[in-house]
Amino acid sequence: QVQLVQSGGGLVQTGGSLRLSCAASGRTLSSNVMGWFRQAPGKEREFVAAIGWTGGWTSYAEALKGRFTISGDNAKNTVYLQMNSLKSEDTAVYYCAAGVRFSLAPTTYDYWGQGTQVTVSS
C-alpha cells in the first residue's frame, strides 16, 4: 500500500501563486508516475500534470502549460505542483496520485492523496 499525503492548499488572489506538495510513503517501488489532478464543483476530475521518476520526464495539460510546473525531490519522495498566475477557474480540489505508468485518465492511477482545496478569489 502507498500513502500519499498532500499539503499546500489554500486561498489565493487572482494572479497569485501557490505550491502544493505530495509526500509518498509505503510500498512505492512500483509507483513510477506521480500525477496531479483537479476536480472543480460539478466537473469531472481532470489531468493537470505528471512526472516520471525513472525517466525524469514531465507532462502537462495543454491549457496549463506555462503556468503550472511539476517537480520532484527523489530523496524526500515528494512531488510538487507550482501554480503561478492563478485564475478563478483554477479553483478546485487538487489531488496527487501514483501509478505504474503514465496516463491522462484518473482511473488508471492506483493510489490517491486526500485532496486539498485551492480557491482563487476574483
Side-chain angles (χ1 to χ4, degrees):
Q1 188 74 19
V2 174
Q3 293 81 46
L4 303 177
V5 179
Q6 300 178 222
S7 62
L11 175 65
V12 298
Q13 293 182 315
T14 298
S17 298
L18 196 65
R19 189 179 77 160
L20 306 181
S21 299
C22 178
S25 62
R27 296 185 176 183
T28 61
L29 187 61
S30 62
S31 297
N32 302 309
V33 177
M34 296 290 291
W36 287 98
F37 294 79
R38 68 185 185 183
Q39 188 165 22
K43 296 184 178 180
E44 297 294 319
R45 191 167 298 187
E46 67 173 346
F47 173 79
V48 173
I51 185 169
W53 292 117
T54 302
W57 55 264
T58 58
S59 181
Y60 297 90
E62 188 66 29
L64 301 179
K65 288 182 179 179
R67 295 198 299 120
F68 288 16
T69 303
I70 188 170
S71 62
D73 185 336
N74 191 54
K76 296 182 178 180
N77 214 19
T78 300
V79 294
Y80 307 93
L81 183 68
Q82 179 67 46
M83 304 182 292
N84 299 323
S85 302
L86 285 164
K87 308 173 182 179
S88 60
E89 54 261 44
D90 295 319
T91 295
V93 176
Y94 284 71
Y95 298 89
C96 65
V100 177
R101 59 191 64 83
F102 170 75
S103 174
L104 299 177
T107 54
T108 63
Y109 289 78
D110 303 306
Y111 304 100
W112 292 86
Q114 78 276 20
T116 185
Q117 177 71 45
V118 172
T119 301
V120 184
S121 63
S122 301

